[in-house]
Amino acid sequence: MKRFSLFLLLILSINLINAQPLSQRLDALLNEDLLKTSEVGITVFDLTTGESLYCYQDEKLYRPASIEKIITSVTTLAQLGTDYTMNTSLRYTGKIENDTLKGNLYLIGGFDPEFMDEDLNRLIETLESRGIRYITDTIAADVSMTDSVYWGPGWSWDDTPYSFQPYLSPLMLNRGCVDVSVSPTQKDSLPQVTCIPVSDYYTVNNQGVSRNPQAGKLEITRNWLSNGNVITISGNVSRPYTEKLNVYTSKDFFFHTFISRLRNKGIEARTHAYAECPATADSITTIQRPIKEVLERALKKSDNLCAESMFYHLAAKRSLHKQVTGEDGTDAINAFMKTALGFNPDNYKIVDGSGVSLYNYISPRLLLEYLKYAYYHREIFLPLHESLPIAGVDGTLQNRMKQTKARGNVHAKTGSVTGVSSLAGYVKAGSGHQLAFVIINQNVLKLSRARAFQDKVCDILSR
């Protein structure tokens, strides 16, 4: 009987908490120890009724981290449309006679962030199927879509050689990275090493030791301080493990590997160079990447390269000149912010498409407007909502909110850089109303504490 009474008391307590106004329940979270040494901005909007439900420091400026990808994604869907593709092409000048191309072959980069090893082989197979074995003049790589600056302003130099900061280029192979896989062999022997894509652009220095803890912690890196591409494996290899490293630089990695594989197929040219393809060149083949594929990876996996690709395609769409810059991408974002949302870009700072930069500053209120704009434009909302991580289910939210009402309900973008954790997206309330929310925690040393705070907010919004 006593146990039943305690259970009944617990149920009544939960019902009383849920009966409190939303603002009161959220206000209670502001007393947590986390916020004694850090800041937070929160805004919640009822998309069903068109009413603001909660605001706390939502006009203040914060570094957004990767929730900035929502700004890039909404602008991309609005400006480029869902049928847009990112293209990598082979074209030629001159004429093809028997097994000889009497002219130039052009490899044209279109900043496809999802161009993989098998795509490169498809280009070569198509060229091979045309019977071409010799190019009398030049095989040229055209990277004229963007300027030569390969990182965004405010990116941290010591984030290389990590895969989340590749060297940006219109020619990206395997996201500008090499997948280095190691497996142990017999004790104290060299481990087995496999690298994908296969290329002689980089070299491997295998100093690893199999199944010997005395060899120290496993490390897979490259000589990045000298802009080298010597991949070194050292330390103990006790189990299969894969590390993804960026390569210096992406355009050279792509072009060098392309030339090398052509030679392996017996296809040669007089010279190789970087050059712009003339508009009159004839087409051999084009590999097209649907924007939806890029959007999904940018949001589900928080992929910086995919977000930057969309950013530069926005720039190319709007700019009147070739070799677009990061500033052109910013101009495209700012123009949409002003004309579509009615917000003054001078009050904010956006310098890249991914949120990596230390220079980005936005407010929760601004980001909320992008979520609202998307929701009220179904052609944008449907692909955006579908691509957002789902709490407790997939993407960067796969392991969060599993034991709460938010599981399977919250569709939101995460954000994490040093000192900043953020979350923004959509949730359906217990009333059936669709809500949009933005939470930005700043000056947080332990991001896990900020994420726990955000999860509590989402659980409240779900009830």
Coordinates of all heavy atoms in Angstrom, one line a residue, residues 283-337:
S283 N 31.7 18.0 -75.0 CA 31.6 17.2 -73.8 C 31.9 15.7 -74.1 O 31.6 15.2 -75.2 CB 30.1 17.3 -73.4 OG 29.9 16.4 -72.3
I284 N 32.5 15.1 -73.1 CA 32.7 13.7 -73.1 C 31.8 13.0 -72.1 O 31.1 12.1 -72.5 CB 34.2 13.3 -72.8 CG1 35.1 13.8 -73.9 CG2 34.4 11.8 -72.6 CD1 36.6 13.5 -73.7
T285 N 31.8 13.5 -70.9 CA 30.9 13.0 -69.9 C 30.8 14.0 -68.7 O 31.7 14.8 -68.5 CB 31.3 11.6 -69.4 OG1 30.3 11.0 -68.5 CG2 32.6 11.7 -68.6
T286 N 29.7 13.8 -67.9 CA 29.5 14.6 -66.7 C 29.0 13.8 -65.6 O 28.0 13.0 -65.9 CB 28.6 15.8 -67.0 OG1 29.2 16.7 -68.0 CG2 28.3 16.6 -65.7
I287 N 29.5 13.9 -64.4 CA 29.0 13.2 -63.3 C 28.3 14.2 -62.5 O 28.8 15.2 -62.0 CB 30.1 12.5 -62.5 CG1 30.7 11.4 -63.3 CG2 29.6 12.0 -61.1 CD1 31.8 10.6 -62.6
Q288 N 27.0 14.0 -62.2 CA 26.1 15.0 -61.5 C 25.8 14.5 -60.1 O 25.5 13.3 -59.9 CB 24.8 15.2 -62.3 CG 25.0 15.7 -63.7 CD 23.6 16.0 -64.4 OE1 22.7 15.2 -64.2 NE2 23.5 17.0 -65.1
R289 N 25.9 15.5 -59.2 CA 25.6 15.2 -57.8 C 24.3 15.9 -57.4 O 24.3 17.2 -57.3 CB 26.7 15.6 -56.9 CG 26.6 15.1 -55.4 CD 26.8 13.6 -55.3 NE 28.1 13.3 -56.0 CZ 28.4 12.1 -56.4 NH1 27.6 11.1 -56.2 NH2 29.6 11.9 -57.0
P290 N 23.2 15.3 -57.1 CA 22.0 16.0 -56.7 C 22.2 16.7 -55.4 O 22.9 16.2 -54.5 CB 21.0 14.8 -56.5 CG 21.5 13.7 -57.3 CD 23.0 13.8 -57.2
I291 N 21.7 17.9 -55.3 CA 21.8 18.7 -54.1 C 21.3 18.0 -52.8 O 21.8 18.2 -51.7 CB 21.1 20.1 -54.3 CG1 21.6 21.1 -53.2 CG2 19.6 20.0 -54.3 CD1 23.0 21.5 -53.3
K292 N 20.3 17.2 -53.0 CA 19.7 16.5 -51.8 C 20.7 15.6 -51.1 O 20.7 15.5 -49.9 CB 18.5 15.7 -52.3 CG 17.3 16.5 -52.6 CD 16.1 15.7 -52.9 CE 14.9 16.5 -53.3 NZ 13.7 15.6 -53.6
E293 N 21.6 15.0 -51.9 CA 22.7 14.2 -51.3 C 23.6 15.0 -50.5 O 24.0 14.6 -49.4 CB 23.5 13.4 -52.4 CG 22.7 12.3 -53.1 CD 23.6 11.5 -54.0 OE1 24.8 11.5 -53.9 OE2 23.0 11.0 -55.0
V294 N 24.0 16.1 -51.0 CA 24.9 17.0 -50.3 C 24.2 17.6 -49.0 O 24.8 17.7 -48.0 CB 25.4 18.2 -51.2 CG1 26.3 19.1 -50.5 CG2 26.0 17.6 -52.5
L295 N 23.0 18.0 -49.2 CA 22.2 18.6 -48.1 C 22.1 17.6 -46.9 O 22.3 17.9 -45.8 CB 20.8 19.0 -48.5 CG 19.8 19.5 -47.5 CD1 20.2 20.9 -47.1 CD2 18.4 19.4 -48.0
E296 N 21.8 16.3 -47.3 CA 21.6 15.3 -46.2 C 22.8 15.1 -45.4 O 22.8 15.0 -44.2 CB 21.1 14.0 -46.8 CG 20.8 12.9 -45.8 CD 20.2 11.7 -46.3 OE1 19.9 11.6 -47.5 OE2 20.0 10.7 -45.5
R297 N 24.0 15.0 -46.1 CA 25.2 14.8 -45.4 C 25.6 16.0 -44.6 O 26.1 15.9 -43.4 CB 26.4 14.4 -46.3 CG 27.6 14.0 -45.6 CD 28.7 13.5 -46.4 NE 29.9 13.2 -45.7 CZ 30.1 12.1 -45.0 NH1 29.2 11.1 -45.0 NH2 31.2 11.9 -44.3
A298 N 25.4 17.2 -45.1 CA 25.7 18.4 -44.4 C 25.0 18.5 -43.1 O 25.6 18.9 -42.1 CB 25.4 19.6 -45.3
L299 N 23.7 18.1 -43.0 CA 22.9 18.2 -41.8 C 23.0 16.9 -40.9 O 23.2 17.0 -39.7 CB 21.5 18.5 -42.2 CG 21.3 19.8 -42.9 CD1 19.8 20.0 -43.3 CD2 21.7 21.0 -42.1
K300 N 22.8 15.8 -41.5 CA 22.8 14.5 -40.7 C 24.1 14.3 -40.0 O 24.2 14.0 -38.8 CB 22.4 13.3 -41.6 CG 21.0 13.2 -42.0 CD 20.1 12.7 -40.9 CE 18.7 12.4 -41.5 NZ 17.7 12.1 -40.4
K301 N 25.2 14.5 -40.8 CA 26.5 14.2 -40.3 C 27.3 15.4 -39.9 O 28.5 15.4 -39.5 CB 27.3 13.4 -41.4 CG 26.7 12.1 -41.9 CD 26.7 11.1 -40.7 CE 26.1 9.8 -41.2 NZ 26.1 8.8 -40.1
S302 N 26.7 16.6 -40.1 CA 27.3 17.9 -39.8 C 28.6 18.0 -40.6 O 29.6 18.4 -40.1 CB 27.6 18.1 -38.3 OG 27.8 19.4 -38.0
D303 N 28.5 17.7 -41.9 CA 29.7 17.6 -42.7 C 30.1 19.1 -43.2 O 29.3 19.7 -43.9 CB 29.5 16.7 -43.9 CG 30.7 16.5 -44.7 OD1 31.5 15.6 -44.4 OD2 30.9 17.3 -45.7
N304 N 31.3 19.5 -42.8 CA 31.7 20.9 -43.1 C 31.9 21.1 -44.6 O 31.6 22.1 -45.2 CB 32.9 21.2 -42.4 CG 32.7 21.3 -40.9 OD1 31.7 21.6 -40.4 ND2 33.7 20.9 -40.1
L305 N 32.5 20.1 -45.3 CA 32.8 20.2 -46.7 C 31.5 20.4 -47.5 O 31.4 21.2 -48.4 CB 33.5 19.0 -47.2 CG 33.8 18.9 -48.7 CD1 34.6 20.1 -49.2 CD2 34.5 17.6 -49.1
C306 N 30.5 19.6 -47.2 CA 29.2 19.7 -47.9 C 28.6 21.1 -47.7 O 28.0 21.7 -48.7 CB 28.2 18.6 -47.5 SG 28.6 17.0 -48.1
A307 N 28.6 21.6 -46.5 CA 28.1 22.9 -46.3 C 28.9 24.0 -47.0 O 28.3 24.9 -47.6 CB 28.1 23.2 -44.8
E308 N 30.2 23.9 -47.1 CA 31.0 24.9 -47.8 C 30.8 24.8 -49.3 O 30.8 25.8 -50.0 CB 32.5 24.6 -47.5 CG 32.9 24.9 -46.1 CD 32.6 26.4 -45.6 OE1 32.7 27.3 -46.5 OE2 32.3 26.6 -44.5
S309 N 30.5 23.6 -49.8 CA 30.2 23.4 -51.2 C 29.0 24.2 -51.6 O 28.9 24.9 -52.6 CB 30.1 21.9 -51.5 OG 29.6 21.8 -52.9
M310 N 27.9 24.0 -50.7 CA 26.7 24.8 -51.0 C 26.9 26.3 -50.9 O 26.4 27.0 -51.7 CB 25.6 24.3 -50.0 CG 25.1 22.9 -50.2 SD 23.6 22.5 -49.2 CE 24.3 22.5 -47.5
F311 N 27.7 26.7 -50.0 CA 28.1 28.1 -49.8 C 28.7 28.7 -51.1 O 28.3 29.7 -51.5 CB 29.1 28.2 -48.6 CG 29.4 29.6 -48.2 CD1 28.5 30.4 -47.6 CD2 30.8 30.0 -48.4 CE1 28.9 31.7 -47.1 CE2 31.1 31.3 -47.9 CZ 30.2 32.1 -47.3
Y312 N 29.6 27.9 -51.6 CA 30.3 28.4 -52.9 C 29.4 28.3 -54.1 O 29.6 29.1 -55.0 CB 31.6 27.6 -53.1 CG 32.8 28.2 -52.3 CD1 33.1 27.8 -51.0 CD2 33.5 29.3 -52.8 CE1 34.1 28.3 -50.2 CE2 34.5 29.9 -52.0 CZ 34.8 29.4 -50.8 OH 35.8 30.0 -50.0
H313 N 28.5 27.3 -54.1 CA 27.6 27.2 -55.2 C 26.6 28.4 -55.2 O 26.2 28.9 -56.2 CB 26.9 25.9 -55.3 CG 27.7 24.8 -55.9 ND1 27.5 24.6 -57.3 CD2 28.6 24.0 -55.5 CE1 28.4 23.6 -57.6 NE2 29.0 23.2 -56.5
L314 N 26.2 28.8 -54.0 CA 25.4 30.0 -53.8 C 26.2 31.2 -54.4 O 25.6 32.1 -55.1 CB 25.1 30.3 -52.4 CG 24.0 29.4 -51.8 CD1 23.9 29.6 -50.3 CD2 22.6 29.8 -52.4
A315 N 27.5 31.3 -54.1 CA 28.3 32.4 -54.6 C 28.4 32.4 -56.1 O 28.2 33.4 -56.7 CB 29.7 32.3 -54.0
A316 N 28.6 31.2 -56.7 CA 28.7 31.1 -58.1 C 27.4 31.5 -58.8 O 27.4 32.0 -59.9 CB 29.1 29.7 -58.5
K317 N 26.3 31.1 -58.2 CA 24.9 31.4 -58.8 C 24.7 32.9 -58.8 O 24.2 33.5 -59.8 CB 23.9 30.8 -57.9 CG 22.4 31.1 -58.3 CD 22.0 30.4 -59.5 CE 20.5 30.6 -59.7 NZ 20.0 29.8 -60.9
R318 N 25.2 33.7 -57.8 CA 24.9 35.1 -57.7 C 26.0 35.9 -58.4 O 25.7 37.0 -58.9 CB 24.8 35.5 -56.2 CG 24.3 36.9 -56.0 CD 24.1 37.1 -54.5 NE 23.5 38.4 -54.3 CZ 24.2 39.5 -54.1 NH1 25.6 39.4 -54.1 NH2 23.7 40.7 -53.9
S319 N 27.2 35.5 -58.3 CA 28.4 36.3 -58.8 C 28.4 36.4 -60.3 O 28.0 35.5 -61.0 CB 29.7 35.7 -58.3 OG 30.8 36.4 -58.7
L320 N 28.9 37.5 -60.8 CA 29.0 37.8 -62.2 C 30.4 37.4 -62.7 O 30.7 37.5 -63.9 CB 28.8 39.3 -62.5 CG 27.3 39.7 -62.2 CD1 27.2 41.2 -62.5 CD2 26.3 39.0 -63.0
H321 N 31.3 37.0 -61.8 CA 32.7 36.7 -62.2 C 33.0 35.3 -61.8 O 32.4 34.7 -60.9 CB 33.7 37.6 -61.6 CG 33.6 37.6 -60.1 ND1 32.9 38.5 -59.3 CD2 34.3 36.9 -59.1 CE1 33.0 38.3 -58.0 NE2 33.9 37.3 -57.9
K322 N 34.0 34.7 -62.5 CA 34.5 33.4 -62.1 C 35.4 33.5 -60.9 O 35.7 34.6 -60.4 CB 35.3 32.7 -63.3 CG 34.3 32.1 -64.3 CD 35.1 31.0 -65.1 CE 34.1 30.1 -65.9 NZ 34.8 29.0 -66.6
Q323 N 35.9 32.3 -60.5 CA 36.8 32.3 -59.3 C 36.1 33.0 -58.1 O 36.7 34.0 -57.6 CB 38.2 32.9 -59.6 CG 39.0 32.0 -60.6 CD 40.4 32.4 -60.6 OE1 40.8 33.5 -60.5 NE2 41.3 31.4 -60.8
V324 N 35.0 32.5 -57.7 CA 34.2 33.1 -56.6 C 35.0 32.9 -55.3 O 35.8 32.0 -55.2 CB 32.8 32.6 -56.5 CG1 32.0 32.9 -57.7 CG2 32.8 31.0 -56.3
T325 N 34.8 33.8 -54.4 CA 35.5 33.8 -53.1 C 34.5 33.6 -52.0 O 33.3 33.5 -52.1 CB 36.1 35.2 -52.9 OG1 35.1 36.2 -52.7 CG2 37.0 35.6 -54.1
G326 N 35.1 33.4 -50.8 CA 34.2 33.3 -49.6 C 33.4 34.5 -49.4 O 32.2 34.4 -48.9
E327 N 33.9 35.7 -49.7 CA 33.1 36.9 -49.6 C 31.9 36.9 -50.5 O 30.9 37.5 -50.2 CB 34.0 38.1 -49.9 CG 35.1 38.4 -48.9 CD 35.9 39.6 -49.2 OE1 35.7 40.2 -50.3 OE2 36.8 40.0 -48.4
D328 N 32.0 36.3 -51.7 CA 30.9 36.1 -52.6 C 29.8 35.3 -51.9 O 28.6 35.5 -52.1 CB 31.3 35.5 -53.9 CG 32.2 36.5 -54.7 OD1 32.0 37.7 -54.7 OD2 33.2 36.0 -55.3
G329 N 30.2 34.2 -51.2 CA 29.3 33.4 -50.5 C 28.6 34.2 -49.4 O 27.4 34.1 -49.2
T330 N 29.3 35.0 -48.7 CA 28.7 35.8 -47.6 C 27.7 36.8 -48.3 O 26.6 37.0 -47.7 CB 29.8 36.6 -46.9 OG1 30.7 35.7 -46.2 CG2 29.2 37.6 -45.9
D331 N 28.1 37.4 -49.4 CA 27.2 38.3 -50.1 C 25.9 37.6 -50.4 O 24.8 38.2 -50.3 CB 27.8 38.9 -51.3 CG 28.9 39.9 -51.0 OD1 29.0 40.3 -49.9 OD2 29.7 40.2 -51.9
A332 N 25.9 36.4 -50.9 CA 24.7 35.6 -51.3 C 23.9 35.3 -50.0 O 22.6 35.5 -50.1 CB 25.1 34.3 -51.9
I333 N 24.5 35.0 -48.9 CA 23.8 34.7 -47.7 C 23.1 36.0 -47.2 O 21.9 36.1 -46.9 CB 24.7 34.2 -46.6 CG1 25.2 32.8 -46.9 CG2 24.0 34.2 -45.2 CD1 24.2 31.7 -46.8
N334 N 23.9 37.1 -47.2 CA 23.4 38.4 -46.8 C 22.2 38.9 -47.6 O 21.3 39.5 -47.1 CB 24.5 39.4 -46.7 CG 25.4 39.2 -45.6 OD1 25.2 38.4 -44.7 ND2 26.6 39.8 -45.6
A335 N 22.3 38.7 -48.9 CA 21.2 39.2 -49.8 C 19.9 38.5 -49.5 O 18.9 39.1 -49.5 CB 21.6 39.0 -51.3
F336 N 20.0 37.2 -49.3 CA 18.8 36.5 -49.0 C 18.2 36.9 -47.6 O 17.0 37.0 -47.4 CB 19.0 35.0 -49.0 CG 17.8 34.1 -48.6 CD1 16.9 33.8 -49.6 CD2 17.7 33.6 -47.4 CE1 15.8 33.1 -49.3 CE2 16.6 32.8 -47.0 CZ 15.6 32.5 -48.0
M337 N 19.1 37.1 -46.6 CA 18.7 37.5 -45.3 C 17.9 38.8 -45.4 O 16.9 39.0 -44.7 CB 20.0 37.7 -44.4 CG 19.7 38.0 -43.0 SD 21.1 38.5 -42.0 CE 22.2 37.1 -42.3

